[in-house]
């Protein structure tokens, strides 16, 4: 048999070794820096994609936070109580309703006539500057007073929600406070007035003391609601005396003026 040449055996061994090295290199996991960078970027994009829905939910929650209801003060009128509640969204009135209104007898008809119109006007004008409904003057005036107090609360809430110092300042200026005037003695009994002030304006006035007993009861029931209404409308103590209740009217104005003095004019 023919023997293999020594040189040929060396060549074959070398070729086998080179082939083995090449095979091992081809099986080694890739550690290219560019590939690793691309993988890292893909991971960051995936993380950002997971966070974005949460951000959208937070934004939606903040937008929804602008909605809510605000209820005004209960306003006493000659024929009963009127109180207005507003539904507010993004700083605008979207709905107005009277949660209290005069009722019983003829008042039922007047309330049914006036309240829907007043509700509609409140939403349309976005203010308390609305027309009085003919034939329902007392209900209309009471509605407007309660509506104004609800609007004042709405502004106060909007100011307090601001995180800036300017927002806090405006909130403090709009904050409502109650001031009671001095007792004014009249020929028929004491008169004392308490007012609620917000944003430098009278939003509510009431007589915490008034003449009573006998004929005084009738005169007080006639005069005080009118005087309360006039105080809010005028914003000062320069209001007309109610005919037939001169002493009560004079005492009311004196106590009202002392309350205004305490409130800073």
């Amino acid at each position: 048999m023919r023997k293999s040449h020594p040189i040929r055996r060396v060549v074959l061994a070398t070729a086998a070794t080179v082939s083995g090295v090449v095979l091992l290199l081809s099986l080694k996991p890739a550690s290219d820096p560019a590939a690793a960078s691309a993988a890292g970027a893909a991971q960051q994009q995936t993380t950002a994609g997971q966070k974005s829905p949460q951000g959208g939910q937070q934004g939606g929650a903040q937008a929804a936070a602008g909605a809510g209801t605000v209820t005004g003060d209960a306003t006493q009128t000659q024929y009963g109580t009127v109180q207005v509640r507003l539904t507010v969204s993004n700083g605008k009135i979207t709905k107005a309703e009277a949660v209290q209104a005069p009722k019983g007898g003829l008042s039922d008809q007047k309330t049914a006539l006036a309240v829907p119109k007043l509700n509609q006007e409140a939403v349309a004008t976005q203010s308390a500057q609305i027309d009085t409904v003919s034939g329902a003057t007392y209900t209309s005036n009471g509605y407007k007073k309660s509506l104004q107090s609800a609007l004042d609360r709405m502004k106060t809430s909007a100011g307090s929600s601001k995180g800036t110092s300017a927002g806090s300042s405006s909130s403090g200026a709009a904050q409502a406070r109650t001031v009671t005037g001095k007792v004014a003695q009249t020929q028929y009994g004491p008169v004392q007035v308490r007012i609620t002030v917000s944003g430098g304006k009278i939003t509510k006035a009431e007589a915490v003391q008034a003449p009573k007993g006998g004929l005084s009861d009738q005169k007080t029931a006639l005069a005080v609601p009118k005087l309360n209404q006039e105080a809010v409308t005028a914003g000062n103590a320069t209001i007309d005396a109610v005919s037939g209740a001169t002493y009560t009217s004079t005492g009311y104005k004196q106590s009202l003026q002392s309350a205004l003095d305490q409130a800073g004019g």
Side-chain angles (χ1 to χ4, degrees):
M1 180 180 292
R2 186 178 180 182
K3 297 182 180 180
S4 298
H5 195 279
I7 296 176
R8 185 178 181 183
R9 287 200 299 269
V10 172
V11 171
L12 290 174
T14 302
T17 302
V18 171
S19 298
V21 172
V22 171
L23 180 60
L24 289 173
L25 290 175
S26 65
L27 294 175
K28 187 178 180 180
S31 58
D32 186 7
S37 176
Q43 184 177 1
Q44 291 177 354
Q45 291 176 354
T46 301
T47 304
Q50 293 174 349
K51 291 182 179 179
S52 59
Q54 296 176 357
Q57 291 173 357
Q58 291 175 354
Q62 290 173 354
T69 58
V70 182
T71 304
D73 294 333
T75 304
Q76 299 296 330
T77 75
Q78 187 170 342
Y79 296 103
T81 305
V82 182
Q83 189 172 28
V84 179
R85 181 169 60 201
L86 304 177
T87 301
V88 181
S89 179
N90 295 324
K92 292 185 178 181
I93 302 170
T94 58
K95 182 181 178 182
E97 55 187 325
V99 293
Q100 291 192 69
K103 58 184 177 180
L106 187 60
S107 294
D108 289 337
Q109 299 178 19
K110 292 187 176 183
T111 294
L113 169 70
V115 168
K117 294 182 179 180
L118 295 167
N119 290 339
Q120 183 179 347
E121 284 290 312
V123 175
T125 62
Q126 297 289 308
S127 72
Q129 304 300 316
I130 56 180
D131 295 331
T132 298
V133 176
S134 179
T137 303
Y138 288 103
T139 298
S140 299
N141 289 337
Y143 185 101
K144 289 190 280 187
K145 288 169 64 176
S146 183
L147 172 59
Q148 184 60 61
S149 69
L151 289 168
D152 291 339
R153 286 194 176 98
M154 185 175 118
K155 292 176 183 177
T156 301
S157 298
S160 62
S161 66
K162 295 179 181 179
T164 62
S165 59
S168 299
S169 176
S170 63
S171 174
Q175 186 175 3
R177 63 193 182 105
T178 302
V179 183
T180 304
K182 295 179 181 179
V183 176
Q185 297 294 338
T186 75
Q187 186 172 340
Y188 296 102
V191 179
Q192 188 175 27
V193 178
R194 181 169 60 202
I195 59 174
T196 302
V197 181
S198 178
K201 294 182 179 180
I202 302 174
T203 59
K204 183 180 179 182
E206 55 186 326
V208 293
Q209 289 192 67
K212 58 184 178 179
L215 187 60
S216 294
D217 289 337
Q218 299 179 20
K219 292 187 176 183
T220 294
L222 170 68
V224 168
K226 294 182 178 179
L227 294 167
N228 290 339
Q229 180 181 336
E230 284 292 316
V232 174
T233 302
N236 56 51
T238 308
I239 57 179
D240 295 332
V242 176
S243 178
T246 305
Y247 289 103
T248 299
S249 299
T250 301
Y252 185 101
K253 290 191 283 185
Q254 290 176 3
S255 183
L256 173 59
Q257 184 60 60
S258 71
L260 287 168
D261 292 340
Q262 293 176 52

